[in-house]
Amino acid sequence: MLNKRQQNKIRTPGYFIKRLRDSGYCVVRIFQEYAISDPRRWTVMVNPKSASVFITCYQNREFNNQIMFEFNDGGILFPRNYSIQTESIEVIICNLVKRNIQTITKGDELYVEKTQAPQQTEPVIS
């Protein structure tokens, strides 16, 4: 289990996904159970029905646990093996915007509106 400080880091998939979703992107968790010897930590897909960009997080344990993100869309909007080394989610979002990866809107079939918890009503006793 991660402690509270680790939970709000770009290297954790939950935090990464939440921040991208808060920015308007549809994000799907693909995989996060790579082998211990594998430098990949997890993979997500951004906007699966349009841009379909895979983002894989790598951790280089040999050099101070550096984090790197690889973007892969088959070479359409991102060059093949395009990767950046950053600890900032804003840098990730700027790269998506720069490559014209659109956020989803209410008219998009991937759009899921955040619903409020149903209001509890008093039971009616007759």
Side-chain angles (χ1 to χ4, degrees):
M1 173 121 184
L2 298 173
N3 68 34
K4 195 67 170 168
R5 277 185 88 187
Q6 290 174 322
Q7 289 176 355
N8 290 338
K9 298 281 185 180
I10 192 172
R11 64 186 68 206
T12 62
Y15 178 77
F16 188 91
I17 291 169
K18 180 186 180 333
R19 291 292 306 270
L20 284 181
R21 285 181 180 163
D22 289 349
S23 296
Y25 293 99
C26 177
V27 185
V28 178
R29 186 184 311 243
I30 301 296
F31 197 72
Q32 69 179 35
E33 299 294 327
Y34 292 105
I36 292 174
S37 60
D38 195 328
R40 294 174 293 181
R41 294 179 51 97
W42 46 263
T43 301
V44 298
M45 180 183 278
V46 177
N47 293 1
K49 291 213 173 193
S50 55
S52 300
V53 178
F54 286 100
I55 301 177
T56 302
C57 175
Y58 290 83
Q59 181 174 11
N60 188 347
R61 291 184 175 96
E62 296 175 10
F63 298 103
N64 300 324
N65 288 330
Q66 294 174 330
I67 296 296
M68 181 183 75
F69 296 93
E70 180 182 70
F71 294 73
N72 187 343
D73 68 345
I76 298 168
L77 297 171
F78 289 91
R80 293 195 184 272
N81 301 320
Y82 179 77
S83 58
I84 56 174
Q85 188 174 356
T86 184
E87 290 281 343
S88 169
I89 193 71
E90 285 78 16
V91 172
I92 300 293
I93 293 168
C94 284
N95 272 274
L96 293 172
V97 169
K98 184 170 114 180
R99 304 284 183 192
N100 204 25
I101 307 298
Q102 301 295 315
T103 57
I104 58 174
T105 61
K106 284 189 176 186
D108 195 323
E109 66 182 82
L110 293 174
Y111 181 80
V112 177
E113 191 163 349
K114 294 180 183 176
T115 58
Q116 297 177 355
Q119 295 179 354
Q120 292 186 355
T121 58
E122 294 291 323
V124 177
I125 302 173
S126 46

